[in-house]
Amino acid sequence: MRSLLQFAALVAASLAIAVTCALSGASYYYSSQHGQGCSSCHEMAVYGAGMHGSAHRNGTCLDCHEASLATKLRHIRVHLTRTWPETIRLRESDVFAMTPNCQKCHQQEYASWHAGPHAATYTQIFTNAGQNSRQHLMDDCLRCHGAHFNGAVRDLVQPQNEQGPWRLVRSDLANQPTIPCQACHQVHSHGTPQTRPAARISVGDEPIPDSLAFYDRREGEHFAVAALALPVLHEGARMVSVSPDPRSALCYQCHAPRPPDTGTPAALNGWGSQAGSGDDRTPTGVHEGLSCLSCHGGHNQNARASCKNCHPRMSNCGLDVEKMDTTYADAKSPHNIHWAHCEDCHQHGIPARENAPASPLHGALAGN
Amino acid sequence: MKRINAVVVGAGAAGGIVAKELAVAGLSVVLLERGKWYTAHDCRKDDLRNQRTTLLGNAFGPEDEGNPRVWVDPQGDAHTALASEGAYQNNAACVGGGTLSYGAQAWRYMPQDFRMKSTYGAPAGSSLEDWPISYDDLEPFYEKAEYEIGISGDYSGTPFHGPRRRPLPMPSLPPNREFEILEPAARRLGLHPFHLPMARNSIAYNGRGPCMRCRWCCGFACEVDAKNGSQNTVIPVALNTGNCELRTECMVREILTDERGRARGVAYFDADGHLQEQLADLVVVSSCAAESARLLLNSKSRLFPNGLGNRYDQVGRNLQGHHYTGAIGYFDFETYDDLGPGASIAICDYNHGTPGLSGGGMLANEFIRLPIHMIDRLPPGTSSWGLAHKQAMRQWHKRSIVIMGPTQQIPSAEARVTLDPLVKDKWGLPVVRFSGNVHPHTFEIGEVQAQRAETWLKEAGAIHTSQMAGKPSLVSAGQHQAGTCRMGSDPRSSVVTPDCRLHDIDNVFVIDGSVHVTNGGFNPALTIMAVAYKASNALVRNWKGTAFRS
Amino acid sequence: MSSRGKTGTLTRRQLLSGAALGGVSLTIGCRLGRSSAWEFLSDEQARTLAALCDQVVPADDFPSASQAGVLDYIDRQLARVYRRHRAAYSDGLVRLDTLSRTRFGRGIAALSVDLQFQAVTAFAEQDKSFFELVRNHTLEGYYGSPRHGGNRDAVSWRMLGLAEPPIRGRAPYDLTKGSTS
């Protein structure tokens, strides 16, 4: 009996020592080198180096990355057994764990994003009865909604039919955003630290930061906006003037036009991709040439307030710009602000230039 | 394990159709597949790892490890091949088989393709034969395949095809730039160009949307599910009947026979490596030419010491694929518009009727070229490395067109699959051993086809051209593999009856490309599907519960 | 107390203390023993290989092979799919360096670009099969998918004028019409 007690005590003591060692060892490892100790393993070196050159260089790895004891021990096992993947990437859960950490510093951006449509959750997107009874669920949905989800659409939502009711197979994702910060931002990118959080994404003449980048689900990589293409678009046979703003290339990855569909006039005449096809909303007509970001904010996409940036409170026709019907949801509406043409309002012909109000902008557009 | 009506070995082009037809007719079916059921997510458009470019492995199976094959060179030396190497002659190992990742050209063979021997006579040393069935026998089943699988295209530009009762169910995709360049050139040459048929949605069809025209098609699974294979058409229908169970990662070891010489089921290794027996009233082998032959040869017993159906040493012979030849043309203007799938225009003027040649083949522009495909296709004389190579890549990647086609292959009885006496796979089963070569007349046809492709490119304005017509020293099989269990009425010179049943055993069927007597001058997928529909139809008609109506 | 229970305890204890030791020794050991930034290559091999790869794809107004990450590609594959080529690389890189030292008095990494070109030209003649292997792997890395470490940011595809990722609208199936929306 005595020996049994002794043995139990010994076991308990050694367990306690082991746990302490494990905790302190792992914690020391992670907190060493000013919080960037984890990048001293060579497989992590390149990521540490990326962080060193980024706007976040003054932070530590653990400011953004979650590292529970279990995670730390897993890292150690992977390192010792040399079983890290060919390309080390954030896992799905890492991405979601990071969002609150972004919020800690970028509060305005977070609030703005959270109030906008791009913060829609997995429940909102994938169990939407109106959507699912109209269109089939498919893997390609995940290209934009849920780019970080690690699986196929059938692993995410069931049943895969048009009757429903639909439920998330992965109920843990119910309230996670389908377009998290990392969908449009890469953190380990070249940049300089700012002394205080930016009030807004400022552009002006500053170079576009590499942190603005599209997460391509297929490659599992971010592509900085400077590397992204802008579309070549047509309205009928006419080539549309597309804004050269590189930031809008990010929007075009999801709000993308389609090649001409079989049987359409564009296909029969060989006109090329049409503005407004698919999910594209490139402006044609009076707003042609404007960038998405001329009107839409980067984090909150509400554009209502932006009309006043260019127009006086009353429009050229005497309409109150804040009350104009500028529906965007219906692509065919003549009020759709993306492709309002002069003749949509001027149904009896466009007034001659000398009669036009003395607005240099209006004059320039009418002269086009 | 419950005894069932039918066990189908292989969930590819044919196996999926057989499973669906039997399950819909009310038979209980187990569909066994050695590979996995992949989704587009499992292999996301990797230029170096797909089923067409396998530098870093096969995306859709089999894995390099544990699945060797052996090939014998012209000197008689045997070599082991990894699954991702060309000599392996791989198709795929997954639900959908080759149809998950194929380019999806969906051709009917021509009436003459079923009567090759009576049309041309057999060249000396060849095993050229007529099919025991005709184009007209198969026509209703071609049509059924076209409508159930979903084919787009437009034959109206060409008179060179067999009679059809109905047009294709979908129009062709809008033409790409190569089509616009090649079409007038072909017409100037007096040829009949047209939009080639493809198992790809050009409009919404069968519950799935149209092709998004991406760059990654042939060799890749479609991420918008617009490419039609058995995995997204017939197999889901089979499973929805409730009569069919799909078991993946199951490798069949042998077909079990009873003392009366009838099959009683199969023995297979399940996903955990455990040996299982699935008893069934009938066994359907649909594992593609190499593996179907291997399974029959591996199913040895006292009554069948040389394997099933192999009484006259016919199993594994007449292996054929397609000898691909053609030409590449280089242009001083851009020919590339980044609109997939790329292959868009074909001519069938040269499939038959050239004096001195026993057949010919279809010619078409190639699938969209990824940069990795171009590194060894620069104009002859270009340095293979250095600044000159880099600049040539820039110069020519968007300014070149490849026209190629599958040459009608003249079969040879010596081109064959046997079992390797030494090498075994990870389950301990003897592996496929390839030997022999195609009949040399095939190369003569191929050379003429390459010249024709070059002429077409020159007419289209190519400033340089280069023919592509090699003489491989190894039998061709690959993704178009066929012929190893030839269909015929004489048990001494064939393996299965015209209804795809083994001559020897009334409840074992081989239904896949193995039964093709000749392989046409076309991609074989649609013919494999039509044969599967026809054989399933006969099977269901003759079925009466647990045996067959006599 | 049965010996079975004891084994179980010990195993857990071993596990935990092993992990702790691992954690501590990693912090120390890795910093001391960090001989190479690569998975398979040594730093010296990497310098030699970079010189060779950069002759296969030199820099012009677009990056060279090593600038685009081709060394990452080759190194990662030598630790994985291309394990079978490890010996070829180890031996071949020594032969390249020997050739360079014999003819030019220095390792190839230390030569000027012009001399590197001469060295690689000679090497391509002398050591055809190894050169072909490296040439193929370099071009795979440079023109293949970015996820494997080469072709960083899809730079070679942009050089060829290919948009990456391509802009492609979705193709939904509209159940209400039986066609696309």
Side-chain angles (χ1 to χ4, degrees):
Chain A
M1 190 65 198
R2 184 188 159 87
S3 68
L4 193 69
L5 274 175
Q6 259 182 347
F7 184 80
L10 192 71
V11 169
S14 36
L15 265 177
I17 293 169
V19 169
T20 316
C21 283
L23 281 171
S24 57
S27 301
Y28 170 66
Y29 170 63
Y30 276 84
S31 59
S32 65
Q33 295 179 54
H34 310 290
Q36 296 185 7
C38 27
S39 63
S40 51
C41 285
H42 63 248
E43 72 269 25
M44 293 305 294
V46 58
Y47 307 97
M51 158 88 165
H52 273 298
S54 78
H56 296 90
R57 68 184 64 156
N58 294 329
T60 72
C61 300
L62 295 181
D63 285 344
C64 301
H65 294 277
E66 172 272 344
S68 63
L69 181 64
T71 306
K72 289 170 180 168
L73 293 177
R74 182 174 59 83
H75 289 171
I76 290 165
R77 174 178 56 76
V78 165
H79 176 80
L80 292 177
T81 54
R82 302 179 66 85
T83 47
W84 60 85
E86 188 191 314
T87 313
I88 298 172
R89 289 281 169 262
L90 289 181
R91 297 180 311 166
E92 180 191 303
S93 56
D94 300 329
V95 172
F96 297 130
M98 203 170 287
T99 308
N101 296 333
C102 303
Q103 182 191 5
K104 277 190 290 191
C105 297
H106 300 277
Q107 289 173 10
Q108 286 200 37
E109 289 86 350
Y110 182 90
S112 176
W113 163 80
H114 197 259
H118 283 176
T121 63
Y122 278 85
T123 303
Q124 287 167 324
I125 295 292
F126 288 99
T127 63
N128 180 323
Q131 172 71 26
N132 291 358
S133 57
R134 285 203 319 272
Q135 294 187 353
H136 271 310
L137 288 157
M138 60 179 178
D139 282 325
D140 195 44
C141 301
L142 295 162
R143 179 153 52 102
C144 296
H145 306 286
H148 293 89
F149 173 69
N150 185 18
V153 76
R154 74 182 183 211
D155 306 321
L156 178 63
V157 51
Q158 286 290 346
Q160 294 274 306
N161 64 22
E162 54 267 35
Q163 284 89 39
W166 296 271
R167 64 183 171 80
L168 289 182
V169 178
R170 290 284 308 281
S171 52
D172 57 314
L173 296 179
N175 298 316
Q176 293 293 354
T178 54
I179 308 179
C181 309
Q182 283 85 352
C184 302
H185 295 284
Q186 60 177 345
V187 179
H188 291 216
S189 64
H190 192 75
T192 45
Q194 287 170 318
T195 48
R196 59 185 174 80
R200 61 189 184 89
I201 288 196
S202 89
V203 274
D205 296 329
E206 295 170 34
I208 309 291
D210 274 355
S211 62
L212 206 53
F214 177 70
Y215 178 76
D216 181 44
R217 173 179 170 82
R218 186 190 289 149
E219 288 295 327
E221 303 249 356
H222 278 100
F223 289 88
V225 288
L228 296 176
L230 289 165
V232 175
L233 292 170
H234 300 79
E235 184 179 42
R238 181 185 70 89
M239 190 180 281
V240 168
S241 156
V242 174
S243 161
D245 180 358
R247 296 171 303 164
S248 61
L250 189 54
C251 314
Y252 277 117
Q253 284 296 322
C254 291
H255 297 275
R258 290 181 43 71
D261 282 310
T262 305
T264 57
L268 296 170
N269 295 301
W271 285 336
S273 276
Q274 295 290 300
S277 61
D279 292 317
D280 175 66
R281 293 294 178 269
T282 303
T284 55
V286 297
H287 292 122
E288 188 166 322
L290 291 184
S291 158
C292 310
L293 287 108
S294 301
C295 304
H296 298 277
H299 290 107
N300 187 319
Q301 289 70 42
N302 192 339
R304 172 64 71 180
S306 67
C307 301
K308 285 197 291 184
N309 291 348
C310 299
H311 297 279
R313 193 175 125 74
M314 301 300 275
S315 78
N316 296 315
C317 334
L319 295 171
D320 181 345
V321 294
E322 288 183 62
K323 290 182 181 157
M324 278 172 75
D325 175 7
T326 57
T327 174
Y328 67 92
D330 180 2
K332 295 192 180 72
S333 164
H335 302 293
N336 190 307
I337 201 83
H338 294 102
W339 29 76
H341 286 62
C342 303
E343 54 270 27
D344 287 329
C345 294
H346 298 280
Q347 287 162 359
H348 304 295
I350 299 158
R353 192 180 305 194
E354 53 272 23
N355 297 338
S359 155
L361 178 67
H362 192 267
L365 286 172
N368 269 345
Chain B
M1 208 172 277
K2 212 175 82 188
R3 182 185 176 88
I4 45 134
N5 292 139
V7 60
V8 181
V9 184
I17 286 170
V18 175
K20 178 246 164 188
E21 290 289 289
L22 299 191
V24 167
L27 279 75
S28 53
V29 180
V30 165
L31 180 55
L32 295 175
E33 168 54 50
R34 68 178 162 146
K36 297 176 184 164
W37 195 348
Y38 293 102
T39 66
H41 177 266
D42 292 312
C43 184
R44 288 166 288 173
K45 310 288 166 89
D46 188 334
D47 286 25
L48 303 177
R49 187 173 185 276
N50 50 74
Q51 290 301 100
R52 190 187 188 198
T53 308
T54 57
L55 293 161
L56 300 183
N58 295 322
F60 303 114
E63 290 165 2
D64 275 351
E65 219 142 289
N67 298 295
R69 279 180 184 170
V70 173
W71 61 283
V72 180
D73 67 22
Q75 288 73 43
D77 294 328
H79 309 269
T80 305
L82 292 174
S84 61
E85 290 176 328
Y88 192 88
Q89 308 285 1
N90 188 34
N91 187 2
C94 60
V95 176
T99 68
L100 175 67
S101 58
Y102 63 171
Q105 293 191 28
W107 294 98
R108 295 179 173 202
Y109 290 175
M110 289 181 171
Q112 300 93 309
D113 292 328
F114 297 88
R115 306 190 306 261
M116 287 295 288
K117 188 180 182 183
S118 22
T119 307
Y120 296 105
S126 79
S127 56
L128 195 65
E129 257 307 338
D130 289 351
W131 288 53
I133 59 174
S134 69
Y135 173 86
D136 293 336
D137 295 330
L138 211 50
E139 203 281 337
F141 301 100
Y142 269 132
E143 183 185 297
K144 188 169 183 180
E146 285 169 346
Y147 277 77
E148 287 202 2
I149 304 296
I151 313 296
S152 61
D154 184 357
Y155 277 103
S156 62
T158 180
F160 297 103
H161 59 80
R164 315 174 47 93
R165 291 182 306 173
R166 292 170 77 188
L168 291 170
M170 285 180 273
S172 63
L173 283 167
N176 62 354
R177 195 173 296 157
E178 291 194 0
F179 186 101
E180 310 280 11
I181 294 166
L182 292 172
E183 199 245 12
R187 293 209 182 283
R188 286 196 297 275
L189 292 170
L191 302 170
H192 300 81
F194 62 103
H195 298 270
L196 52 79
M198 295 218 172
R200 181 176 290 100
N201 286 1
S202 61
I203 54 173
Y205 189 80
N206 216 349
R208 284 171 287 106
C211 170
M212 75 194 293
R213 313 212 64 181
C214 83
R215 202 180 296 152
W216 296 271
C217 195
C218 184
F220 301 90
C222 180
E223 63 192 323
V224 297
D225 225 6
K227 186 157 67 180
N228 305 323
S230 65
Q231 81 289 344
N232 59 3
T233 55
V234 284
I235 290 176
V237 174
L239 299 180
N240 278 340
T241 62
N243 294 334
C244 177
E245 184 188 340
L246 170 64
R247 294 184 198 147
T248 57
E249 295 179 76
C250 291
M251 178 67 186
V252 176
R253 188 180 78 170
E254 63 179 317
I255 298 165
L256 304 167
T257 47
D258 62 21
E259 68 287 348
R260 291 179 303 140
R262 293 191 87 229
R264 58 189 183 90
V266 297
Y268 69 93
F269 296 99
D270 67 15
D272 300 322
H274 301 307
L275 190 60
Q276 306 281 2
E277 280 190 8
Q278 176 60 60
L279 302 186
D281 298 326
L282 54 104
V283 175
V284 180
V285 182
S286 302
S287 314
C288 222
E291 293 295 321
S292 287
R294 178 190 179 203
L295 176 56
L296 293 180
L297 293 172
N298 266 332
S299 300
K300 289 183 176 131
S301 60
R302 189 178 52 79
L303 287 175
F304 303 100
N306 301 319
L308 290 192
N310 201 26
R311 191 181 304 278
Y312 298 104
D313 190 27
Q314 287 298 308
V315 172
R317 290 192 181 274
N318 308 310
L319 175 67
Q320 49 197 305
H322 280 122
H323 176 50
Y324 260 80
T325 64
I328 181 166
Y330 306 93
F331 294 77
D332 55 7
F333 53 89
E334 284 204 3
T335 57
Y336 180 97
D337 58 1
D338 209 23
L339 280 184
S344 55
I345 185 169
I347 52 166
C348 292
D349 301 57
Y350 297 135
N351 279 67
H352 292 283
T354 307
L357 294 185
S358 301
M362 169 276 290
L363 286 174
N365 64 331
E366 203 195 20
F367 284 95
I368 201 164
R369 252 183 329 285
L370 299 172
I372 190 70
H373 299 142
M374 199 65 190
I375 62 174
D376 289 319
R377 283 201 179 165
L378 297 168
T382 308
S383 172
S384 70
W385 58 281
L387 211 50
H389 184 272
K390 187 179 185 184
Q391 285 166 352
M393 285 291 289
R394 237 178 294 180
Q395 172 77 28
W396 301 116
H397 181 261
K398 284 192 163 184
R399 295 180 186 84
S400 51
I401 298 179
V402 173
I403 293 176
M404 289 190 102
T407 295
Q408 174 87 254
Q409 190 159 317
I410 307 301
S412 151
E414 296 314 310
R416 63 188 300 196
V417 169
T418 52
L419 296 178
D420 192 81
L422 300 173
V423 180
K424 299 207 166 36
D425 65 11
K426 63 182 167 189
W427 295 280
L429 304 173
V431 304
V432 164
R433 177 185 173 100
F434 294 114
S435 55
N437 202 340
V438 301
H439 187 276
H441 184 59
T442 311
F443 298 136
E444 294 169 21
I445 305 173
E447 277 171 25
V448 175
Q449 290 289 94
Q451 289 158 16
R452 288 163 164 169
E454 189 177 34
T455 305
W456 188 3
L457 287 165
K458 282 187 172 152
E459 182 62 33
I463 49 175
H464 312 295
T465 52
S466 167
Q467 290 185 21
M468 304 191 290
K471 280 188 189 172
S473 56
L474 168 67
V475 65
S476 88
Q479 290 166 337
H480 292 190
Q481 57 185 272
T484 54
C485 301
R486 180 176 267 196
M487 177 195 285
S489 11
D490 181 1
R492 287 166 196 279
S493 61
S494 62
V495 177
V496 297
T497 68
D499 284 336
C500 295
R501 203 180 69 201
L502 285 189
H503 286 300
D504 280 0
I505 307 177
D506 77 346
N507 66 341
V508 177
F509 294 75
V510 179
I511 306 179
D512 62 15
S514 313
V515 305
H516 291 193
V517 178
T518 53
N519 214 17
F522 296 105
N523 308 53
L526 192 74
T527 302
I528 292 173
M529 292 167 172
V531 166
Y533 276 114
K534 181 175 182 299
S536 308
N537 180 279
L539 211 161
V540 169
R541 267 191 291 113
N542 295 324
W543 176 251
K544 57 165 189 187
T546 55
F548 293 93
R549 298 184 183 102
S550 49
Chain C
M1 167 130 304
S2 73
S3 60
R4 205 201 239 157
K6 195 171 168 181
T7 320
T9 317
L10 276 176
T11 312
R12 191 177 306 151
R13 194 165 78 197
Q14 277 169 346
L15 184 90
L16 283 168
S17 48
L21 275 177
V24 176
S25 58
L26 269 178
T27 322
I28 304 160
C30 280
R31 295 196 59 200
L32 298 179
R34 229 170 105 193
S35 58
S36 166
W38 307 93
E39 286 195 58
F40 168 73
L41 298 168
S42 71
D43 284 339
E44 197 193 333
Q45 284 175 324
R47 279 191 291 274
T48 307
L49 184 58
L52 179 52
C53 293
D54 284 351
Q55 287 302 320
V56 176
V57 184
D60 47 10
D61 35 346
F62 285 89
S64 73
S66 67
Q67 288 163 347
V70 166
L71 253 62
D72 286 306
Y73 169 77
I74 295 179
D75 182 58
R76 287 180 198 176
Q77 301 317 321
L78 286 174
R80 294 177 180 79
V81 180
Y82 286 162
R83 245 181 242 116
R84 61 182 186 275
H85 298 307
R86 281 178 172 194
Y89 269 82
S90 299
D91 301 346
L93 292 174
V94 169
R95 290 197 301 274
L96 173 59
D97 233 30
T98 310
L99 177 144
S100 172
R101 283 177 207 285
T102 319
R103 297 212 189 170
F104 304 98
R106 266 183 283 174
I108 189 165
L111 298 180
S112 69
V113 176
D114 285 347
L115 289 181
Q116 284 181 342
F117 174 73
Q118 291 181 28
V120 171
T121 307
F123 189 66
E125 282 297 305
Q126 174 200 304
D127 222 318
K128 255 197 173 78
S129 74
F130 177 62
F131 176 77
E132 275 296 303
L133 187 74
V134 177
R135 177 262 179 196
N136 290 343
H137 291 174
T138 304
L139 294 178
E140 285 165 22
Y142 196 79
Y143 293 106
S145 297
R147 76 190 71 169
H148 298 296
N151 194 10
R152 200 169 282 158
D153 295 331
V155 68
S156 75
W157 298 352
R158 275 185 286 127
M159 172 179 89
L160 301 178
L162 299 173
E164 176 61 22
I167 298 170
R168 283 291 185 269
R170 73 211 159 96
Y173 185 84
D174 189 334
L175 295 157
T176 57
K177 294 182 198 152
S179 68
T180 47
S181 64

